[in-house]
Amino acid sequence: GEFFIPGKFKTEILIVTNICHPYQVNDSISGVVIAAKIAKELKDKVLQNGIRFLFVPESIGTVAWLANNEDKIQNIKFALSFDCLGAGGELKLQQSLYGNSYIDFIAKDIANKRNYQIALFREYMSNDESILSASGVEIPTIAFTRAPYKEYHTSEDTPDIISTNKLDESYETIYSVVRSLAFDSIPRQKIKGFLFLKKHNLWTHGVSNTRFYVKEIFQILNGKLSIYEISYILGLDFMEVYSLIQ
């Protein structure tokens, strides 16, 4: 299956989850559940970048989709692959192939704030990120997983082993990454020079929240930094900075 939520720009984020592994739940239906919930949450939002969801058999399904949609590859800037999210150990982030892309920057920042392990490319699991990172495709792709776990690839991978808390935690983390990418952009101030904040009802004084940093935000709104980078530099919540800039 495929589901697409368009954005303001042509750029896209690709999310790939798997529908193979019959009679197994954590691998990989847990990933499908989280992807579907993210799609439901974002489908009516006004996004900056489009989100494309693929629900396909592992590896071969992604190969088939790429082969039949070569015209779409150029618009896909980053991708996420995830499964084994409702049972197993601590949630882990696996970096993209080189670990230095923009999606790595955002995902690592979110993972570090939650004290998650940051693993190398394919260190614990290897599936669709291998296909998406292959020569000629080369889409920076990160992955989330709780593997390994003892029921992996056995008949014991049933709904009984799924932890609602682990599934919810996985969703919140992955959604934070996807939402940041979906709403992110590189804004530029329309007016040259220092902005007259009071004239635009943006001046605040002595307020201990994000609005107190309006002056600092507009000081670096130079068309070179993304909204996420601005929030990172100032130590502010991404969505609050996004809302203020809008």
Side-chain angles (χ1 to χ4, degrees), residues 91-111:
L91 187 63
K92 295 176 279 287
L93 163 66
Q94 292 189 160
Q95 303 175 71
S96 69
L97 179 59
Y98 300 109
N100 61 355
S101 70
Y102 187 66
I103 191 173
D104 287 287
F105 162 66
I106 291 179
K108 286 178 184 178
D109 181 47
I110 291 171

PDB file of all heavy atoms in Angstrom, residues 91-111:
ATOM      1  N   LEU A  91      14.751   1.292  22.972  1.00  0.00           N
ATOM      2  CA  LEU A  91      14.642   1.816  21.614  1.00  0.00           C
ATOM      3  C   LEU A  91      15.992   2.344  21.163  1.00  0.00           C
ATOM      4  O   LEU A  91      16.676   3.044  21.900  1.00  0.00           O
ATOM      5  CB  LEU A  91      13.594   2.928  21.570  1.00  0.00           C
ATOM      6  CG  LEU A  91      13.241   3.486  20.186  1.00  0.00           C
ATOM      7  CD1 LEU A  91      12.624   2.404  19.307  1.00  0.00           C
ATOM      8  CD2 LEU A  91      12.290   4.666  20.327  1.00  0.00           C
ATOM      9  N   LYS A  92      16.370   1.991  19.939  1.00  0.00           N
ATOM     10  CA  LYS A  92      17.661   2.402  19.393  1.00  0.00           C
ATOM     11  C   LYS A  92      17.476   3.118  18.058  1.00  0.00           C
ATOM     12  O   LYS A  92      16.638   2.728  17.248  1.00  0.00           O
ATOM     13  CB  LYS A  92      18.568   1.180  19.191  1.00  0.00           C
ATOM     14  CG  LYS A  92      18.954   0.495  20.485  1.00  0.00           C
ATOM     15  CD  LYS A  92      19.768  -0.743  20.231  1.00  0.00           C
ATOM     16  CE  LYS A  92      18.902  -1.932  19.854  1.00  0.00           C
ATOM     17  NZ  LYS A  92      18.161  -2.478  20.994  1.00  0.00           N
ATOM     18  N   LEU A  93      18.279   4.138  17.854  1.00  0.00           N
ATOM     19  CA  LEU A  93      18.347   4.826  16.566  1.00  0.00           C
ATOM     20  C   LEU A  93      19.549   4.310  15.803  1.00  0.00           C
ATOM     21  O   LEU A  93      20.662   4.306  16.325  1.00  0.00           O
ATOM     22  CB  LEU A  93      18.484   6.338  16.783  1.00  0.00           C
ATOM     23  CG  LEU A  93      18.963   7.161  15.573  1.00  0.00           C
ATOM     24  CD1 LEU A  93      17.933   7.145  14.447  1.00  0.00           C
ATOM     25  CD2 LEU A  93      19.290   8.595  15.992  1.00  0.00           C
ATOM     26  N   GLN A  94      19.321   3.867  14.579  1.00  0.00           N
ATOM     27  CA  GLN A  94      20.422   3.500  13.696  1.00  0.00           C
ATOM     28  C   GLN A  94      20.644   4.628  12.699  1.00  0.00           C
ATOM     29  O   GLN A  94      19.716   5.050  12.015  1.00  0.00           O
ATOM     30  CB  GLN A  94      20.136   2.185  12.971  1.00  0.00           C
ATOM     31  CG  GLN A  94      20.119   0.982  13.897  1.00  0.00           C
ATOM     32  CD  GLN A  94      20.059  -0.346  13.152  1.00  0.00           C
ATOM     33  OE1 GLN A  94      20.402  -1.372  13.704  1.00  0.00           O
ATOM     34  NE2 GLN A  94      19.599  -0.341  11.911  1.00  0.00           N
ATOM     35  N   GLN A  95      21.876   5.089  12.624  1.00  0.00           N
ATOM     36  CA  GLN A  95      22.208   6.196  11.749  1.00  0.00           C
ATOM     37  C   GLN A  95      22.066   5.809  10.278  1.00  0.00           C
ATOM     38  O   GLN A  95      21.992   4.633   9.928  1.00  0.00           O
ATOM     39  CB  GLN A  95      23.643   6.643  12.003  1.00  0.00           C
ATOM     40  CG  GLN A  95      23.935   7.052  13.433  1.00  0.00           C
ATOM     41  CD  GLN A  95      25.406   7.357  13.627  1.00  0.00           C
ATOM     42  OE1 GLN A  95      25.908   8.362  13.130  1.00  0.00           O
ATOM     43  NE2 GLN A  95      26.097   6.505  14.363  1.00  0.00           N
ATOM     44  N   SER A  96      22.074   6.824   9.429  1.00  0.00           N
ATOM     45  CA  SER A  96      22.100   6.582   7.997  1.00  0.00           C
ATOM     46  C   SER A  96      23.485   6.050   7.609  1.00  0.00           C
ATOM     47  O   SER A  96      24.374   5.905   8.455  1.00  0.00           O
ATOM     48  CB  SER A  96      21.802   7.878   7.231  1.00  0.00           C
ATOM     49  OG  SER A  96      22.873   8.801   7.372  1.00  0.00           O
ATOM     50  N   LEU A  97      23.680   5.764   6.355  1.00  0.00           N
ATOM     51  CA  LEU A  97      24.918   5.129   5.884  1.00  0.00           C
ATOM     52  C   LEU A  97      26.169   5.870   6.348  1.00  0.00           C
ATOM     53  O   LEU A  97      27.122   5.262   6.839  1.00  0.00           O
ATOM     54  CB  LEU A  97      24.895   5.037   4.358  1.00  0.00           C
ATOM     55  CG  LEU A  97      26.125   4.422   3.682  1.00  0.00           C
ATOM     56  CD1 LEU A  97      26.363   2.994   4.177  1.00  0.00           C
ATOM     57  CD2 LEU A  97      25.953   4.439   2.166  1.00  0.00           C
ATOM     58  N   TYR A  98      26.175   7.188   6.205  1.00  0.00           N
ATOM     59  CA  TYR A  98      27.347   7.974   6.589  1.00  0.00           C
ATOM     60  C   TYR A  98      27.157   8.692   7.928  1.00  0.00           C
ATOM     61  O   TYR A  98      28.116   9.227   8.488  1.00  0.00           O
ATOM     62  CB  TYR A  98      27.697   8.982   5.490  1.00  0.00           C
ATOM     63  CG  TYR A  98      28.009   8.317   4.169  1.00  0.00           C
ATOM     64  CD1 TYR A  98      27.138   8.416   3.093  1.00  0.00           C
ATOM     65  CD2 TYR A  98      29.160   7.540   4.017  1.00  0.00           C
ATOM     66  CE1 TYR A  98      27.414   7.785   1.884  1.00  0.00           C
ATOM     67  CE2 TYR A  98      29.444   6.898   2.818  1.00  0.00           C
ATOM     68  CZ  TYR A  98      28.565   7.026   1.758  1.00  0.00           C
ATOM     69  OH  TYR A  98      28.839   6.395   0.569  1.00  0.00           O
ATOM     70  N   GLY A  99      25.941   8.716   8.424  1.00  0.00           N
ATOM     71  CA  GLY A  99      25.685   9.283   9.738  1.00  0.00           C
ATOM     72  C   GLY A  99      25.813  10.781   9.850  1.00  0.00           C
ATOM     73  O   GLY A  99      25.820  11.324  10.954  1.00  0.00           O
ATOM     74  N   ASN A 100      25.889  11.488   8.720  1.00  0.00           N
ATOM     75  CA  ASN A 100      26.129  12.930   8.769  1.00  0.00           C
ATOM     76  C   ASN A 100      25.101  13.752   7.985  1.00  0.00           C
ATOM     77  O   ASN A 100      25.352  14.907   7.644  1.00  0.00           O
ATOM     78  CB  ASN A 100      27.534  13.239   8.242  1.00  0.00           C
ATOM     79  CG  ASN A 100      27.731  12.803   6.781  1.00  0.00           C
ATOM     80  OD1 ASN A 100      26.843  12.176   6.191  1.00  0.00           O
ATOM     81  ND2 ASN A 100      28.869  13.121   6.214  1.00  0.00           N
ATOM     82  N   SER A 101      23.949  13.171   7.699  1.00  0.00           N
ATOM     83  CA  SER A 101      22.931  13.887   6.937  1.00  0.00           C
ATOM     84  C   SER A 101      22.045  14.722   7.861  1.00  0.00           C
ATOM     85  O   SER A 101      22.135  14.621   9.086  1.00  0.00           O
ATOM     86  CB  SER A 101      22.051  12.899   6.159  1.00  0.00           C
ATOM     87  OG  SER A 101      21.235  12.163   7.056  1.00  0.00           O
ATOM     88  N   TYR A 102      21.191  15.513   7.269  1.00  0.00           N
ATOM     89  CA  TYR A 102      20.322  16.389   8.055  1.00  0.00           C
ATOM     90  C   TYR A 102      19.338  15.584   8.901  1.00  0.00           C
ATOM     91  O   TYR A 102      19.026  15.958  10.032  1.00  0.00           O
ATOM     92  CB  TYR A 102      19.568  17.345   7.130  1.00  0.00           C
ATOM     93  CG  TYR A 102      18.764  18.393   7.873  1.00  0.00           C
ATOM     94  CD1 TYR A 102      19.396  19.375   8.628  1.00  0.00           C
ATOM     95  CD2 TYR A 102      17.373  18.403   7.815  1.00  0.00           C
ATOM     96  CE1 TYR A 102      18.667  20.333   9.308  1.00  0.00           C
ATOM     97  CE2 TYR A 102      16.635  19.361   8.496  1.00  0.00           C
ATOM     98  CZ  TYR A 102      17.291  20.316   9.235  1.00  0.00           C
ATOM     99  OH  TYR A 102      16.558  21.267   9.920  1.00  0.00           O
ATOM    100  N   ILE A 103      18.845  14.470   8.375  1.00  0.00           N
ATOM    101  CA  ILE A 103      17.922  13.640   9.162  1.00  0.00           C
ATOM    102  C   ILE A 103      18.653  13.028  10.360  1.00  0.00           C
ATOM    103  O   ILE A 103      18.071  12.856  11.433  1.00  0.00           O
ATOM    104  CB  ILE A 103      17.255  12.544   8.293  1.00  0.00           C
ATOM    105  CG1 ILE A 103      16.110  11.883   9.086  1.00  0.00           C
ATOM    106  CG2 ILE A 103      18.246  11.515   7.808  1.00  0.00           C
ATOM    107  CD1 ILE A 103      15.292  10.908   8.260  1.00  0.00           C
ATOM    108  N   ASP A 104      19.944  12.730  10.207  1.00  0.00           N
ATOM    109  CA  ASP A 104      20.733  12.255  11.339  1.00  0.00           C
ATOM    110  C   ASP A 104      20.820  13.322  12.419  1.00  0.00           C
ATOM    111  O   ASP A 104      20.702  13.023  13.612  1.00  0.00           O
ATOM    112  CB  ASP A 104      22.146  11.881  10.885  1.00  0.00           C
ATOM    113  CG  ASP A 104      22.203  10.601  10.090  1.00  0.00           C
ATOM    114  OD1 ASP A 104      22.045   9.521  10.691  1.00  0.00           O
ATOM    115  OD2 ASP A 104      22.388  10.657   8.863  1.00  0.00           O
ATOM    116  N   PHE A 105      21.032  14.558  12.005  1.00  0.00           N
ATOM    117  CA  PHE A 105      21.141  15.669  12.946  1.00  0.00           C
ATOM    118  C   PHE A 105      19.880  15.785  13.797  1.00  0.00           C
ATOM    119  O   PHE A 105      19.947  15.874  15.029  1.00  0.00           O
ATOM    120  CB  PHE A 105      21.395  16.968  12.175  1.00  0.00           C
ATOM    121  CG  PHE A 105      21.113  18.221  12.953  1.00  0.00           C
ATOM    122  CD1 PHE A 105      21.868  18.556  14.066  1.00  0.00           C
ATOM    123  CD2 PHE A 105      20.085  19.074  12.568  1.00  0.00           C
ATOM    124  CE1 PHE A 105      21.600  19.712  14.792  1.00  0.00           C
ATOM    125  CE2 PHE A 105      19.811  20.232  13.281  1.00  0.00           C
ATOM    126  CZ  PHE A 105      20.576  20.548  14.401  1.00  0.00           C
ATOM    127  N   ILE A 106      18.722  15.755  13.158  1.00  0.00           N
ATOM    128  CA  ILE A 106      17.460  15.880  13.896  1.00  0.00           C
ATOM    129  C   ILE A 106      17.214  14.656  14.770  1.00  0.00           C
ATOM    130  O   ILE A 106      16.886  14.766  15.959  1.00  0.00           O
ATOM    131  CB  ILE A 106      16.283  16.089  12.923  1.00  0.00           C
ATOM    132  CG1 ILE A 106      16.378  17.471  12.265  1.00  0.00           C
ATOM    133  CG2 ILE A 106      14.946  15.920  13.636  1.00  0.00           C
ATOM    134  CD1 ILE A 106      15.275  17.762  11.266  1.00  0.00           C
ATOM    135  N   ALA A 107      17.375  13.470  14.196  1.00  0.00           N
ATOM    136  CA  ALA A 107      17.094  12.234  14.939  1.00  0.00           C
ATOM    137  C   ALA A 107      18.049  12.062  16.116  1.00  0.00           C
ATOM    138  O   ALA A 107      17.642  11.637  17.205  1.00  0.00           O
ATOM    139  CB  ALA A 107      17.179  11.037  14.005  1.00  0.00           C
ATOM    140  N   LYS A 108      19.314  12.388  15.928  1.00  0.00           N
ATOM    141  CA  LYS A 108      20.287  12.273  17.020  1.00  0.00           C
ATOM    142  C   LYS A 108      19.963  13.254  18.139  1.00  0.00           C
ATOM    143  O   LYS A 108      20.106  12.922  19.326  1.00  0.00           O
ATOM    144  CB  LYS A 108      21.704  12.525  16.503  1.00  0.00           C
ATOM    145  CG  LYS A 108      22.288  11.392  15.692  1.00  0.00           C
ATOM    146  CD  LYS A 108      23.678  11.765  15.190  1.00  0.00           C
ATOM    147  CE  LYS A 108      24.276  10.700  14.298  1.00  0.00           C
ATOM    148  NZ  LYS A 108      25.611  11.093  13.785  1.00  0.00           N
ATOM    149  N   ASP A 109      19.537  14.453  17.786  1.00  0.00           N
ATOM    150  CA  ASP A 109      19.179  15.442  18.801  1.00  0.00           C
ATOM    151  C   ASP A 109      18.015  14.932  19.648  1.00  0.00           C
ATOM    152  O   ASP A 109      18.049  14.999  20.881  1.00  0.00           O
ATOM    153  CB  ASP A 109      18.810  16.767  18.135  1.00  0.00           C
ATOM    154  CG  ASP A 109      18.462  17.848  19.145  1.00  0.00           C
ATOM    155  OD1 ASP A 109      19.215  18.011  20.123  1.00  0.00           O
ATOM    156  OD2 ASP A 109      17.427  18.530  18.955  1.00  0.00           O
ATOM    157  N   ILE A 110      16.996  14.391  18.990  1.00  0.00           N
ATOM    158  CA  ILE A 110      15.838  13.861  19.712  1.00  0.00           C
ATOM    159  C   ILE A 110      16.225  12.632  20.529  1.00  0.00           C
ATOM    160  O   ILE A 110      15.805  12.471  21.681  1.00  0.00           O
ATOM    161  CB  ILE A 110      14.709  13.535  18.715  1.00  0.00           C
ATOM    162  CG1 ILE A 110      14.142  14.841  18.132  1.00  0.00           C
ATOM    163  CG2 ILE A 110      13.601  12.709  19.363  1.00  0.00           C
ATOM    164  CD1 ILE A 110      13.171  14.661  16.994  1.00  0.00           C
ATOM    165  N   ALA A 111      17.050  11.745  19.959  1.00  0.00           N
ATOM    166  CA  ALA A 111      17.483  10.543  20.679  1.00  0.00           C
ATOM    167  C   ALA A 111      18.336  10.897  21.896  1.00  0.00           C
ATOM    168  O   ALA A 111      18.189  10.295  22.969  1.00  0.00           O
ATOM    169  CB  ALA A 111      18.266   9.629  19.737  1.00  0.00           C
TER     170      ALA A 111
END
